[in-house]
Amino acid sequence: MVPALLISLVAASPLRLAKREPVPSFVLANAPLLHLHSTEEYGLSDVAVHLAHVEPQVNYSSVASSVTLQTLSGFGSDVFLTSKDDVTDSPKAEWLRSPYGAPDANGLSGAPATIVLVNKPDGVLDAFFFTFFSFNDGGKVIGIAFGDHVGDWEHTMVRFVNGEPTAYYLSAHSGGSAYTFDAVEKTSGRPTAYIAHGTHANYATADAGPLWDPTLNYRAYWYEPGTGGFTIADGAGAGGAQIEAEGTGWLDFRGRWGDEQYRILEHGNYCVPIGDEEECHYVSGPTGPVDKVLDRTAVCPNADSCTIASSL
């Protein structure tokens, strides 16, 4: 296991790899437009704001009092970025609800999207559009809440071949769905996605709430499959203004973007056996973009179970 804290790196400046070419125009022209659910209670979140309200912990014990995008890469894969606020409070802390991230009438969110571009053989370019929420509401089954957690990463991905969009992937927790690009619904010529209430999974058809355009405010990076390194592409809006100072090191963090699953009764947590599985009210937060199989060869993360639908 990677150590909890790489002492020599925490105080260091962020990893600054050379800036590469900006996001290609054909990527932005075919970037998804996403609808939040009409009853969504949580706004899109800025990763920098999220980090201001968590502390790195290992085995429920603090290993540092604070963390920023510039210092995040110094923490190991056993670290959980743990909320400084009680997540059971009602209403929840404002940073967990992220009202600043709600899109305006033009589709602009105050929370920058994270775009990761990956060049691959045979003219393939995969463009990942990551969404981040500071809280995931897992919903209820027969009135019992399950699957809540701090931090929530989801993504859509458009695959291009020689500059032409050919396929579209929509993540839904540990799974997802893939379509030919021609099959999916378009909005102003761009692929559409629908973000589920609370869990923020992506679907090709669903409730159409406020529209979010990630190209209006984003941080964009290139990822090199061979080396596993990130470089800055460019940005737009607040994300573009911040990206140079923030660097790329934060994308190397392989720990969890939320709390470790609480012990039974801690914060009122409980677990219930359902079939062969155990479902809990509060579960551990997710890993980040680096853990989403950016170097995948298939459109889906798992090439052995990847069906690309040609219709909705």
Side-chain angles (χ1 to χ4, degrees), residues 251-263:
L251 288 161
D252 295 318
F253 176 62
R254 293 183 177 273
R256 301 297 191 106
W257 283 79
D259 299 25
E260 185 171 2
Q261 180 173 311
Y262 306 134
R263 302 178 181 96

Side-chain angles (χ1 to χ4, degrees), residues 267-279:
H267 296 299
N269 200 21
Y270 51 79
C271 296
V272 178
I274 299 178
D276 296 331
E277 302 293 331
E278 185 175 67
E279 300 293 340

Side-chain angles (χ1 to χ4, degrees), residues 168-202:
Y168 189 40
Y169 180 77
L170 301 97
S171 77
H173 317 306
S174 59
S177 53
Y179 300 87
T180 62
F181 190 82
D182 290 341
V184 298
E185 178 185 334
K186 307 296 193 305
T187 302
S188 301
R190 292 164 59 181
T192 309
Y194 297 86
I195 300 175
H197 173 267
T199 67
H200 311 130
N202 294 293

